[in-house]
Amino acid sequence: MLTSRRVAVVNSDKEVREELGEHVVPVRPTIDDELRHVPVAPGLGLVGTKGQHSTVNQALLFALIYTINNTLTSNV
């Protein structure tokens, strides 16, 4: 039977979350998890090291690689 009233199952969601909070350790990202997003090549160009690709090409390559990486490794 379809109804617009709240059902007891909806209230159990809060209880499930509380139980999970007690038994599951939350994941805390470390700096290593975030360093993969930092491009190194443009930083080397700013220091004076000559690279194989121009800054524009490096930016395009980074955007392409970043998109492919996140597409393949996303947890969605």
Side-chain angles (χ1 to χ4, degrees), residues 7-42:
V7 185
V9 174
V10 174
N11 293 333
S12 68
D13 182 50
K14 183 178 178 183
E15 296 167 4
V16 170
R17 287 179 185 267
E18 288 174 358
E19 285 295 321
L20 283 174
E22 292 174 7
H23 300 289
V24 177
V25 178
V27 176
R28 303 233 193 283
T30 62
I31 190 71
D32 290 341
D33 296 332
E34 302 304 322
L35 282 178
R36 70 185 182 104
H37 299 292
V38 177
V40 176

Side-chain angles (χ1 to χ4, degrees), residues 37 59-74:
H37 299 292
L60 292 173
L61 287 170
F62 173 75
L64 178 64
I65 291 168
Y66 181 81
T67 303
I68 292 171
N69 182 34
N70 282 340
T71 302
L72 294 176
T73 60
S74 65

